[in-house]
């Protein structure tokens, strides 16, 4: 909140958002204050507590009106995050304070008092090169009891919020030496229904549920959603089976290379010990068989994908 006078407050009757009107015609919105209404001593002292929230509505989104890349010439306020808002609280010792100034002061106090912070071993680093913050794990389960999504969220002391984008985990693909994804891979949209949510941190967890509602503006023929989901599942199974086959091919190539390298070293040692440069018939036969096998493996590999080695 900026240091400005607040002239009016309103609560949206459907979304339960708190609307804050400030001096200078400013509007601030706090999304879904239902967790604030259910704050209790028990909730705020539990190691992990999951607050009940509202339904998450699936929606088709498109590019808004105006320039696509306005830069600083066009002010646009942040929209409400798309997906299910998951609100939970954490009380474990050692969690960073959500206010950066307060957290810096806490770290300085610990430094002056000589209390070293426990990192639990070697510090982990994120993609930006900075030390990775404590992470809470969030899992989503469907009505059949199948875990369909797992992701992590920076964890801070007190009330936290995470956004589930109403998608499942992406299908497993063959690993590459470097990522060629400009955007992070995402799985398909889930079907409307009720899903279980589980938040875990420090070995403690809390569970709840979230209702996913369909886009009310879009209609589908009976069974169309389910048929589409079944087709995606079938395709995803093929993708994952292909990934497993590629992994087996990759391991086989590595094993073959290891065997041939060891055989070559053994032959080199034999020639050195015998004082000869003549390769034995056994070693020649093994080398030819290894070459033929490698060509067969690479032929199968090329039928599955184009590896980083090509």
């Amino acid at each position: 909140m900026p240091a400005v006078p607040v002239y009016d407050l309103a609560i949206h009757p459907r979304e339960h958002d708190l609307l804050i009107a400030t001096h200078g015609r400013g509007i601030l919105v706090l999304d879904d204050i239902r967790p604030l209404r259910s704050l209790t001593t028990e909730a705020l002292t539990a190691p992990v507590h999951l607050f009940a929230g509202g339904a998450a509505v699936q929606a088709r989104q498109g590019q808004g009106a105006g320039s696509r890349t306005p830069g600083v010439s066009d002010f646009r306020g942040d929209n409400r995050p798309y997906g299910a808002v998951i609100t939970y609280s954490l009380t474990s010792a050692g969690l960073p304070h959500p206010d950066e100034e307060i957290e810096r002061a806490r770290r300085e106090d610990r430094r002056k008092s000589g209390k070293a912070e426990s990192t639990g071993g070697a510090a982990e680093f994120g993609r930006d090169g900075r030390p990775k913050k404590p992470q809470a794990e969030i899992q989503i389960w469907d009505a059949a009891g199948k875990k369909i999504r797992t992701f992590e969220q920076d964890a801070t002391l007190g009330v936290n919020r995470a956004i589930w984008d109403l998608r499942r985990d992406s299908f497993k693909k063959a690993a590459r030496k470097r990522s060629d994804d400009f955007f992070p891979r995402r799985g398909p949209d889930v079907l409307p229904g009720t899903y279980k949510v589980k938040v875990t941190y420090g070995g403690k967890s809390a569970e709840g549920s979230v209702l996913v509602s369909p886009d009310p503006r879009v209609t589908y023929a009976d069974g169309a959603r389910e048929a589409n989901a079944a087709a995606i599942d079938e395709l995803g199974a093929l993708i994952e089976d292909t990934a497993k086959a590629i992994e087996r091919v990759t391991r086989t190539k590595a094993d073959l290379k290891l065997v041939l390298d060891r055989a070559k070293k053994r032959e080199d040692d034999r020639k050195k010990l015998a004082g000869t440069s003549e390769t034995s018939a056994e070693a020649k036969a093994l080398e030819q068989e290894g070459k033929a096998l490698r060509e067969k493996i690479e032929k199968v590999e090329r039928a599955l994908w184009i590896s980083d080695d090509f």
Side-chain angles (χ1 to χ4, degrees):
M1 279 288 295
V4 294
V6 173
Y7 289 151
D8 201 3
L9 298 173
I11 298 176
H12 195 287
R14 183 190 65 209
E15 303 296 335
H16 300 271
D17 295 341
L18 175 62
L19 312 176
I20 305 169
T22 68
H23 180 72
R25 302 189 182 93
I27 293 291
L28 300 172
V29 181
L30 178 59
D31 298 326
D32 192 4
I33 64 169
R34 272 172 284 213
L36 294 179
R37 292 171 171 164
S38 60
L39 286 179
T40 62
T41 301
E42 292 75 17
L44 293 180
T45 55
V48 183
H49 179 81
L50 180 60
F51 295 95
V57 181
Q58 292 177 320
R60 290 185 178 180
Q61 296 178 307
Q63 172 67 26
S67 172
R68 187 174 183 86
T69 54
V72 297
S73 62
D74 184 12
F75 171 77
R76 298 180 185 180
D78 292 331
N79 288 327
R80 180 174 184 158
Y82 175 76
V85 179
I86 300 172
T87 308
Y88 57 96
S89 64
L90 304 172
T91 60
S92 298
L95 280 168
H97 196 281
D99 188 299
E100 293 184 1
E101 292 186 5
I102 295 178
E103 178 59 20
R104 281 197 295 269
R106 292 175 66 192
R107 288 200 300 266
E108 181 63 18
D109 289 342
R110 287 194 292 267
R111 187 187 66 80
K112 290 180 179 179
S113 63
K115 295 181 179 179
E117 298 184 52
S118 175
T119 60
E124 296 185 16
F125 293 87
R127 292 184 177 181
D128 57 1
R130 298 180 179 179
K132 192 175 181 181
K133 298 179 180 179
Q135 302 286 299
E137 183 182 67
I138 300 165
Q139 298 176 340
I140 309 296
W141 307 69
D142 63 15
K146 179 182 178 181
K147 183 168 62 176
I148 61 170
R149 185 69 187 275
T150 302
F151 61 97
E152 292 183 334
Q153 167 83 10
D154 289 347
T156 59
L157 183 66
V159 178
N160 293 256
R161 271 196 161 162
I163 305 297
W164 172 40
D165 59 2
L166 309 184
R167 290 177 176 268
R168 300 184 299 180
D169 284 328
S170 61
F171 297 116
K172 182 180 179 180
K173 295 184 179 181
R176 291 190 178 274
K177 295 178 181 178
R178 60 178 179 83
S179 175
D180 57 357
D181 293 327
F182 185 76
F183 296 105
R185 292 203 302 263
R186 302 189 300 171
D189 292 321
V190 300
L191 291 171
T194 301
Y195 293 83
K196 185 179 82 171
V197 180
K198 182 178 180 180
V199 179
T200 303
Y201 180 79
K204 304 292 184 180
S205 62
E207 298 180 2
S209 63
V210 60
L211 174 64
V212 177
S213 300
D215 190 334
R217 306 165 301 172
V218 182
T219 57
Y220 295 89
D222 291 343
R225 283 179 178 269
E226 291 73 16
N228 181 65
I232 291 175
D233 284 341
E234 183 177 357
L235 176 61
L238 291 174
I239 292 173
E240 294 189 340
D241 286 344
T242 304
K244 292 177 182 178
I246 292 170
E247 289 177 354
R248 290 184 63 182
V249 168
T250 302
R251 289 197 302 268
T252 304
K253 282 180 62 178
D255 291 343
L256 177 60
K257 183 178 183 304
L258 179 62
V259 170
L260 293 178
D261 287 347
R262 288 183 176 178
K264 184 179 183 303
K265 184 179 184 305
R266 185 182 65 180
E267 179 63 13
D268 290 342
D269 291 343
R270 185 198 67 80
K271 289 191 291 186
K272 184 178 180 180
L273 184 63
T276 179
S277 61
E278 186 70 22
T279 302
S280 67
E282 180 185 10
K284 289 181 180 179
L286 181 61
E287 183 180 0
Q288 291 176 354
E289 290 178 6
K291 181 179 179 181
L293 180 56
R294 184 172 62 245
E295 290 176 352
K296 291 180 180 180
I297 294 173
E298 290 177 349
K299 183 178 180 181
V300 172
E301 185 178 34
R302 285 193 294 270
L304 294 171
W305 75 326
I306 303 300
S307 74
D308 294 327
D309 297 329
F310 292 131

